[in-house]
Structures are given as structure tokens and as C-alpha cells.
Amino acid sequence: TKYQWQPWQQLQIQLEYQLEYSENEDSWLNQGDLLLNWPITEQLSMTLRTQYGAETGGDKDTIFFTQASLNWNFF
């Protein structure tokens, strides 16, 4: 599932969730992803993304990361 909204003119938010079953590993994956995008000027924007996921059952992987970037468009 994915939900996207813009609470303010300068902030875009996107939230994703994934539920997946793997028969080979006999496990369930629960994973969420949050993406924030803030256009500061026409050329400059800031992006923040964080993701967390955990598997239960036969496989027990855990995923977590956060990524931040400053983007400059030349054209």
C-alpha cells in the first residue's frame, strides 16, 4: 500500500507498507518506508527517507536504514 499527501505547500510525504509471504523461507516480511521531500527553492531540495522491515517465521532478517540528501538541479 502507498499513501501520499502534501500537508504544506513546501512538504511532500509518502508512506509505504508492504506485507509479503515467502513460501520458500516460510516467513512473513513486514516493511515500512517513509519519504519526506522539501523543495527549498526551484533548484534546491532536501529529501529524507527511512525504512524498517522485519521478517518473522523461518527467516528472521531485520532491515533498517535512513538516508538524507540535498539535491541541486542545474536545469
Side-chain angles (χ1 to χ4, degrees):
T1 62
K2 180 163 115 175
Y3 183 70
Q4 196 170 352
W5 74 100
Q6 193 168 355
W8 299 287
Q9 186 176 1
Q10 295 291 65
L11 181 64
Q12 298 169 347
I13 300 173
Q14 180 175 307
L15 183 61
E16 290 186 31
Y17 174 74
Q18 175 183 351
L19 177 64
E20 178 181 308
Y21 176 72
S22 171
E23 189 174 345
N24 293 342
E25 299 172 347
D26 188 31
S27 65
W28 286 93
L29 170 65
N30 289 289
Q31 184 170 307
D33 192 14
L34 175 66
L35 177 65
L36 303 170
N37 187 26
W38 177 36
I40 301 166
T41 67
E42 286 188 24
Q43 286 87 16
L44 184 66
S45 66
M46 184 173 152
T47 303
L48 175 68
R49 180 179 184 187
T50 186
Q51 184 180 73
Y52 177 78
E55 280 188 280
T56 57
D59 201 6
K60 303 215 183 294
D61 295 335
T62 302
I63 303 161
F64 176 74
F65 79 85
T66 299
Q67 176 183 11
S69 64
L70 197 56
N71 306 300
W72 181 265
N73 295 326
F74 295 99
F75 302 102

